[in-house]
Structure formats: C-alpha cells, structure tokens
Amino acid sequence: LMLAMGSALSTIAKTEERIDQRLLRADNYRVAAGFLRTSLGRVSARKISGVVKEGSTPYLFTGTEEAVQWIGIMPARYGAGGRSFFRLAVEDQRGVASLVIRYAPWVDASEFPDWSQMQAHVLVAGVTSFALAYEDAKNTPAEWTPAWLKADRLPHRIRMTLQTVSGPWPDMVIPLRILAPSENRRGGFSLGPE
C-alpha cells in the first residue's frame, strides 16, 4: 500500500512539474509576442539621409533570415518610450543560444548603431533554431522570402519560426504598420508615435 501511494505521489509531482513548465512556456511566449507585436509591428519608414547605392534600400530597415533591424516605437511601459533602433537576432548569452532584442534611443543617423555597445534583453533562452521570413503583399498571391531585398517598400508581415530546448513555439506572424517618417529632425522629446 505504501509503495502504491509513493508511486502515485511521484506521478502527481511529475505531472504538476510538466504543467508548470507548460504554463511558464506559454507565459514566456505571451510576453515575447506582445512585446514584438508592439515594437516590430510599428516600423518607421524613415529613409537614409545621403546617397544610397543603386539597388540598395533607402529605408533604415534590414531583414535577413537570421536577424531584423528597424526603427520602431519603444512602448512606454518598458522604460523611456519613443522612437528607437531595434535589432532582433539569436546571440550567445553566457554560453546559451538566446533570442535577444537590442535597442538604443533613436538619433537622426544614416546607419544603425554598433549593436555590441547597445542594451540587450533576452526574450527566449535555449534557442535551437530560429528563422525569419518576410511577406511581399504586392505580389499575387503574396509570397514569403527569407530576406527582404525590395528597395522601394517595406514588408507587409514578418514571420518568426522558433524552436527551443523545451519544444517549438507556434509560428508568430507580425503585421507591420508602417509609420510615416517624421519631418522633425531635431531629435529630443516629441509627442505622438513619432
């Protein structure tokens, strides 16, 4: 009888642990998805000032399968809100492959900052695979590409595929709301989204 009770209690404890792990994964997904939908979902259409090489994009936006860089809006609830530079990619953080978002306050510049010097926040630790894709809605039917190479426009949506040591995440598709570039080039404090 004691052996049966011990076995039953052990099974219950393992089940509770698995449920706790699933709840933690779901919570991590919800927080990361919410932040990315807010920051990546509002992309500035700001263009590079100066000469742009032929065939290159004039926008301060780069998208590859491994990383995406953009100018977006930092939600105020995460600190000082407002327009910011962002970069999303997998990086080694203390020996663990992690999905990291780096950010810096926006300044009127023609290139992205040195990301190694910028603030970083780990969104997901223990990443085993990560891929981004970009949707061109102007094509019929709309098509997904592993890198954004269009010089005349920004993507319509971005898809993120992520696997971790504890299992795959649901694919995350983020529609991009393109914000018009502000004509205010003085920098500093401003009201509104830009």
Side-chain angles (χ1 to χ4, degrees), residues 27-186:
D27 194 46
N28 287 344
Y29 177 84
R30 183 185 56 77
V31 170
F35 179 80
L36 289 174
R37 283 194 176 97
T38 303
S39 59
L40 182 53
R42 298 168 68 197
V43 173
S44 173
R46 180 162 291 279
K47 293 186 177 180
I48 296 167
S49 55
V51 178
V52 178
K53 293 178 187 174
E54 188 176 340
S56 298
T57 180
Y59 297 104
L60 270 169
F61 177 93
T62 58
T64 66
E65 194 170 16
E66 297 84 26
V68 59
Q69 302 179 99
W70 73 99
I71 297 174
I73 305 300
M74 175 68 80
R77 65 184 171 273
Y78 294 103
R83 189 169 33 202
S84 301
F85 292 111
F86 291 97
R87 179 179 184 267
L88 180 71
V90 171
E91 299 179 13
D92 185 282
Q93 294 286 311
R94 299 181 183 168
V96 177
S98 303
L99 183 62
V100 173
I101 188 152
R102 289 191 177 266
Y103 52 94
W106 177 84
V107 292
D108 195 1
S110 294
E111 59 186 26
F112 287 102
D114 176 2
W115 290 115
S116 66
Q117 305 300 314
M118 298 301 120
Q119 296 183 63
H121 179 74
V122 174
L123 293 175
V124 185
V127 174
T128 56
S129 83
F130 172 71
L132 294 163
Y134 307 86
E135 183 187 51
D136 186 354
K138 286 209 171 180
N139 288 349
T140 305
E143 64 180 12
W144 291 92
T145 60
W148 188 251
L149 303 174
K150 308 289 183 185
D152 62 336
R153 60 189 179 273
L154 294 174
H156 181 248
R157 297 191 299 172
I158 296 178
R159 183 180 65 214
M160 185 180 87
T161 305
L162 179 73
Q163 295 219 20
T164 69
V165 291
S166 54
W169 280 31
D171 280 3
M172 190 183 305
V173 177
I174 301 169
L176 300 190
R177 192 175 110 211
I178 310 301
L179 303 172
S182 170
E183 293 305 317
N184 176 10
R185 299 196 176 264
R186 293 168 296 175

